[in-house]
């Protein structure tokens, strides 16, 4: 049994996340965590809302709330929506909570003690009318690279270029709209990443073979271009106060730490929250001098977050010279696009998680987004493709098989696993299929190739359908009840297996299947040693045991639904 720490990119607090956010971090992290648990490993799955920074303040202003009120409300909403998608976080914390504040200030202290933080004067946009410096997203203007007229001070939504607010052409305050702005000097703390260039490259080199090409290409791009010293403070009131050895830092009373400095630290902070709430030991997951040296740490995120987690956060951890656990595997994802364009929280473009759950249960979305995961390239969501995938894979291949077998067992074999007859050529064929396909499925999960894992899962379901066509127990029943019994018994065992292998991706459906067959919790393992004996799997349910017909697992999506959803959410 391995010990595996899983983290997802932290969903930002400014509103419910869209399906692209779900597909690129939280969902694959959950699928992997569920697989690892089902394979018998000890897993800690940590996430949290990312609550600091200018977007939180701006969203609170728009909502007419204080930032604290807004963040508390949005955290509860995001936690509830995540539960609707069966995201199995062991803890879903908040970056504004005390553990993260304490840890962020600690890291700042030790980094400065180690000569990696410097106080510098820099130029920043100042709004004369607002009477304040304007950090990051408090400034908008024209992108100097692509000419997009509503680029934010930290990044252009059109071309994706990272920006400094003073680079914007014709800048203005995004709070008041005032263009009465000036460039003035202010003082900030800088993390001296340039001094860590060689150490970070050695860290990336040591892990590159375990990272997908997307991850390594982004990390090496930043390293090859040369790390730069980055400001880690901002002129805001909401965030982690800038302290030095437990006391307010002179001249920084109205500043806080930059969100991109404190947010990754929240992975540790959220684990501390978990420990305080459950009595768990957070240090055995994060401190290599306290037992974390045997932990495999796996991160999941979209490609826009990769640089911060392969370069900037390692600067913090390595620069502390303390025995903290560093990431081992980092799975990065491309974009899930919406009809050729990006999903966008700020522009409210696409389907958002809460609205998706109003249309269909979480497993429908989990299956589609995993089966079409944007792993090797960007992928496009369309209602038509969503409909065809769900109807074919879930309703026709899985749902109809489960329904036919369990109903026939109820009608002809008194709702029991048939006892008569012995396996023949069709059963041997099915056993051989499983002997090949189940190890392949396990290999895909181990490699974190979720699209391939979904395809292999469907292939096993399809093989079960092919088997039942070959065995044709309903035809055999007319001449040999024993022969029909073999087919239905094998079919019921396949139903159970389908539930077991469905657990990582469609957990609610899998639970319905396994509970209807009375499969105990201890017999639902995906451990490879239990999956390699195909013959045994086809006769695993006790003969004579009572089974039930599960409730209808899926409902087909009709053309009328596509028309309605296209009108409501766009597309086409």
């Amino acid at each position: 049994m391995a010990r595996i720490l899983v983290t997802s990119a932290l969903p930002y607090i400014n509103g419910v996340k869209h399906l692209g956010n779900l597909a690129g971090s939280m969902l694959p992290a959950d699928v992997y965590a569920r697989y690892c648990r089902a394979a018998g490993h000890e897993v800690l799955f940590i996430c949290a809302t990312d609550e600091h920074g200018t977007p939180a303040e701006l969203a609170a202003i728009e909502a007419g709330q204080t930032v604290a009120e807004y963040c508390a409300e949005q955290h509860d909403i995001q936690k509830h929506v995540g539960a609707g998608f069966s995201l199995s976080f062991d803890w879903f914390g908040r970056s504004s909570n005390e553990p993260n504040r304490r840890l962020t200030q600690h890291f700042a202290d030790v980094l400065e003690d180690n000569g990696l933080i410097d106080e510098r004067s820099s130029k920043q946009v100042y709004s004369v009318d607002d009477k304040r410096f304007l950090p990051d997203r408090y400034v908008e203007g024209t992108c100097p690279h692509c000419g997009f007229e509503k680029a934010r001070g930290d990044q252009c939504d059109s071309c994706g270029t990272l920006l400094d607010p003073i680079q914007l052409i014709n800048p203005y305050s995004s709070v008041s709209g005032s263009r009465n702005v000036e460039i003035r000097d202010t003082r900030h703390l800088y993390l001296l990443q340039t001094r860590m260039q060689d150490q970070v490259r050695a860290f990336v080199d040591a892990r590159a073979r375990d990272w997908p090409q997307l991850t390594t290409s982004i990390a090496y791009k930043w390293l090859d271009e040369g790390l730069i010293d980055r400001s880690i403070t901002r002129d805001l009131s909401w965030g982690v106060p800038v302290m030095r050895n437990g006391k307010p830092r002179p001249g920084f009373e109205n500043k806080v730490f930059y969100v991109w400095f404190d947010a990754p630290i929240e992975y540790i902070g959220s684990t501390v929250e978990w420990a305080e709430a459950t009595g768990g030991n957070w240090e055995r997951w994060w401190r290599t001098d306290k037992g974390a040296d045997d932990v495999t740490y796996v991160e999941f995120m979209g490609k826009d977050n990769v640089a911060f987690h392969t370069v900037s956060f390692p600067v913090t951890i390595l620069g502390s010279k303390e025995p903290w656990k560093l990431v081992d595997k980092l799975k990065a994802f491309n974009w899930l696009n919406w009809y050729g364009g990006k999903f966008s929280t700020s522009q409210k473009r696409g389907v958002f998680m809460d609205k998706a759950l109003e249309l269909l249960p979480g497993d429908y979305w989990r299956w589609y987004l995993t089966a079409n995961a944007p792993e090797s390239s960007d992928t496009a969501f369309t209602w038509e493709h969503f409909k065809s995938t769900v109807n074919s894979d879930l309703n026709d291949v899985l749902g109809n098989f489960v329904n036919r077998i369990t109903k026939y067992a109820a009608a002809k074999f008194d709702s029991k696993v048939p006892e008569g007859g012995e396996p023949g050529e069709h059963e041997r064929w099915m056993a051989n299929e499983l002997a090949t396909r189940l190890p392949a499925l396990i290999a895909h999960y181990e490699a974190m190739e979720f699209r391939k894992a979904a395809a292999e899962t469907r292939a096993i379901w399809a093989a079960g359908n092919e088997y039942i066509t070959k065995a044709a127990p309903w035809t055999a029943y007319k001449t040999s009840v024993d022969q029909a019994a073999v087919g239905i018994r094998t079919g019921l065992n396949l139903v159970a297996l389908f539930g077991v292998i469905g657990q990582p991706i469609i957990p609610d459906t899998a639970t319905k299947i396994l509970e209807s067959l009375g499969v105990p919790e201890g017999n639902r393992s995906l451990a490879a040693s239990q999956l390699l004996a195909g013959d045994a799997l086809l006769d695993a349910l006790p003969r004579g045991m009572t089974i039930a017909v599960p409730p209808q697992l899926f409902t087909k999506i009709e053309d009328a639904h596509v028309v309605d959803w296209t009108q409501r959410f766009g597309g086409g």
Side-chain angles (χ1 to χ4, degrees):
M1 180 176 70
R3 295 176 58 222
I4 302 173
L5 173 64
V6 179
T7 63
S8 160
L10 307 182
Y12 199 70
I13 198 65
N14 62 336
V16 174
K17 302 299 102 179
H18 54 67
L19 293 182
N21 295 129
L22 179 64
S25 58
M26 292 179 285
L27 177 56
D30 182 72
V31 170
Y32 184 69
R34 286 180 176 276
Y35 160 73
C36 290
R37 293 190 193 108
H41 301 309
E42 182 184 2
V43 175
L44 186 65
F45 181 19
I46 294 294
C47 195
T49 39
D50 179 5
E51 301 187 8
H52 294 143
T54 52
E57 290 197 0
L58 292 172
I61 292 171
E62 185 177 344
Q65 297 174 291
T66 67
V67 191
E69 291 170 343
Y70 175 82
C71 289
E73 179 181 279
Q74 290 299 317
H75 171 81
D76 290 343
I77 291 172
Q78 292 204 30
K79 185 176 181 180
H80 176 73
V81 172
F85 282 93
S86 303
L87 300 179
S88 59
F89 304 123
D90 289 292
W91 193 257
F92 188 67
R94 301 181 60 189
S95 69
S96 62
N97 281 348
E98 180 58 30
N100 190 50
R101 175 179 298 213
R102 190 168 62 242
L103 283 161
T104 298
Q105 292 168 342
H106 165 79
F107 276 109
D109 279 341
V110 297
L111 287 168
E112 188 161 0
D113 292 342
N114 294 336
L116 292 173
I117 287 182
D118 186 28
E119 185 175 326
R120 297 178 179 178
S121 178
S122 62
K123 296 190 179 299
Q124 192 169 328
V125 177
Y126 182 87
S127 171
V128 176
D129 293 337
D130 295 334
K131 296 182 174 62
R132 61 172 295 174
F133 284 101
L134 300 176
D136 300 322
R137 298 193 184 190
Y138 275 53
V139 190
E140 292 183 359
T142 300
C143 175
H145 299 278
C146 72
F148 181 59
E149 294 183 351
K150 287 186 66 65
R152 302 193 308 260
D154 60 345
Q155 187 173 15
C156 176
D157 274 342
S158 179
C159 67
T161 302
L162 297 178
L163 299 170
D164 186 292
I166 65 172
Q167 294 177 285
L168 293 173
I169 301 168
N170 299 321
Y172 59 90
S173 168
S174 59
V175 181
S176 64
S178 172
R179 295 185 180 273
N180 186 15
V181 298
E182 301 172 352
I183 306 300
R184 296 186 180 181
D185 288 334
T186 185
R187 295 193 68 78
H188 283 291
L189 298 182
Y190 279 74
L191 179 60
L192 307 184
Q193 297 189 138
T194 51
R195 297 185 181 180
M196 296 293 293
Q197 173 90 22
D198 292 342
Q199 283 184 256
V200 173
R201 182 176 287 275
F203 158 75
V204 172
D205 288 344
R207 285 158 174 76
R209 67 175 185 173
D210 293 323
W211 291 355
Q213 192 274 335
L214 177 62
T215 302
T216 56
S217 64
I218 294 172
Y220 281 125
K221 179 178 183 293
W222 276 51
L223 288 167
D224 292 344
E225 291 176 353
L227 300 187
I228 61 172
D229 299 337
R230 292 184 63 88
S231 168
I232 59 167
T233 53
R234 292 293 186 271
D235 292 281
L236 295 169
S237 59
W238 175 249
V240 177
V242 181
M243 311 285 279
R244 177 61 173 149
N245 295 324
K247 297 179 181 179
R249 189 182 190 100
F252 284 74
E253 294 84 356
N254 296 319
K255 300 179 192 287
V256 298
F257 283 106
Y258 179 36
V259 63
W260 263 114
F261 180 68
D262 84 78
I265 297 170
E266 169 58 11
Y267 293 131
I268 308 173
S270 190
T271 311
V272 175
E273 291 180 50
W274 162 80
E276 292 175 348
T278 64
N281 181 350
W282 71 268
E283 290 182 310
R284 70 187 287 265
W285 293 96
W286 282 105
R287 299 278 300 196
T288 57
D289 60 337
K290 302 289 186 179
D293 53 329
D294 67 347
V295 169
T296 299
Y297 177 21
V298 187
E299 292 183 343
F300 293 83
M301 65 195 62
K303 58 187 177 183
D304 55 330
N305 288 335
V306 168
F308 295 101
H309 289 80
T310 57
V311 175
S312 295
F313 190 38
V315 167
T316 297
I317 297 296
L318 292 168
S320 74
K321 297 182 180 179
E322 295 179 333
W324 296 102
K325 177 65 184 175
L326 285 153
V327 65
D328 296 298
K329 301 178 181 180
L330 196 156
K331 176 72 172 183
F333 287 82
N334 289 283
W335 303 129
L336 174 73
N337 288 326
W338 176 258
Y339 283 88
K342 287 184 180 179
F343 283 82
S344 172
T345 299
S346 59
Q347 298 177 30
K348 296 180 173 57
R349 175 181 169 83
V351 179
F352 290 73
M353 290 171 63
D354 55 344
K355 297 302 179 183
L357 290 174
E358 292 176 7
L359 305 182
L360 292 167
D363 276 3
Y364 289 68
W365 301 102
R366 288 178 63 103
W367 176 259
Y368 178 82
L369 295 174
T370 303
N372 297 279
E375 291 178 314
S376 59
S377 63
D378 293 350
T379 60
F381 178 95
T382 69
W383 288 117
E384 294 77 13
H385 191 233
F386 177 66
K387 168 180 173 287
S388 65
T389 299
V390 166
N391 287 352
S392 173
D393 297 355
L394 297 184
N395 189 79
D396 297 346
V397 179
L398 176 61
N400 283 349
F401 182 88
V402 173
N403 182 67
R404 282 196 300 164
I405 298 298
T406 54
K407 282 190 172 181
Y408 199 79
K412 298 297 186 181
F413 293 95
D414 196 27
S415 294
K416 297 183 185 300
V417 177
E419 299 187 50
E422 295 303 325
E425 61 173 314
H426 302 314
E427 291 68 42
R428 285 191 293 274
W429 175 86
M430 189 69 232
N432 288 334
E433 283 288 300
L434 296 179
T436 299
R437 293 196 174 280
L438 289 172
L441 176 63
I442 297 298
H444 293 322
Y445 275 122
E446 292 291 336
M448 294 187 289
E449 296 175 326
F450 302 110
R451 193 165 180 157
K452 290 181 179 178
E456 196 64 59
T457 300
R458 187 193 189 281
I460 294 170
W461 294 343
N465 279 269
E466 186 174 349
Y467 160 77
I468 213 66
T469 299
K470 293 174 182 287
W474 18 84
T475 301
Y477 191 86
K478 299 172 183 178
T479 56
S480 173
V481 174
D482 278 354
Q483 186 179 343
V486 174
I488 294 301
R489 181 171 63 246
T490 302
L492 289 172
N493 278 281
L494 286 172
V495 168
L497 176 63
F498 292 177
V500 169
I501 65 174
Q503 290 175 106
I505 305 177
I506 48 171
D508 292 347
T509 303
T511 297
K512 291 177 185 177
I513 292 172
L514 295 170
E515 287 182 349
S516 70
L517 296 183
V519 178
E521 291 280 349
N523 290 358
R524 300 180 185 182
S525 174
L526 263 167
S529 61
Q530 297 182 17
L531 289 180
L532 299 182
D535 293 332
L537 285 173
L538 297 180
D539 201 11
L541 296 175
R543 297 186 185 191
M545 74 171 287
T546 300
I547 60 98
V549 177
Q552 182 174 340
L553 300 179
F554 305 103
T555 301
K556 273 198 167 186
I557 298 173
E558 304 294 342
D559 290 339
H561 292 128
V562 171
V563 172
D564 176 42
W565 298 341
T566 300
Q567 291 174 345
R568 290 171 59 185
F569 300 101

